[in-house]
Amino acid sequence: MPIFEFQCDSCKHEFEKLVFAGDTPDITCPECKSREVTKKMSAVSFMGKSMGTCAADAPKGFS
Ligand SMILES: [Zn+2]
């Protein structure tokens, strides 16, 4: 699931929020409740995902 970073234009508070694809949620700053927030791209949601599980579990030899 995509997690986007936002920064409040009013108080400069940075926060993360889960946003579903195609969704345009009403994002408000958790600190000052301002709606003047800027969305920043983030790859945080992809961290910790193991891509090499299959290769690591594969046997070294088939003898
Ligand atoms: Zn704010």
Side-chain angles (χ1 to χ4, degrees), residues 1-4 17-21 45-46:
M1 292 188 186
I3 298 177
F4 292 101
K17 200 166 184 69
L18 187 67
V19 179
F20 293 97
S45 59
F46 297 106

Side-chain angles (χ1 to χ4, degrees), residues 8-13 29 31-34:
C8 178
D9 292 335
S10 295
C11 70
K12 304 302 180 186
H13 176 70
C29 174
E31 289 294 315
C32 68
K33 309 302 181 188
S34 172

Side-chain angles (χ1 to χ4, degrees), residues 54-55 57-63:
C54 291
D57 290 342
K60 297 297 179 187
F62 289 96
S63 63

Side-chain angles (χ1 to χ4, degrees), residues 17-57:
K17 200 166 184 69
L18 187 67
V19 179
F20 293 97
D23 197 7
T24 52
D26 213 13
I27 306 296
T28 56
C29 174
E31 289 294 315
C32 68
K33 309 302 181 188
S34 172
R35 295 189 180 204
E36 301 299 317
V37 298
T38 302
K39 186 165 81 172
K40 306 195 301 181
M41 295 302 291
S42 174
V44 172
S45 59
F46 297 106
M47 298 280 287
K49 226 178 204 179
S50 179
M51 301 290 285
T53 304
C54 291
D57 290 342

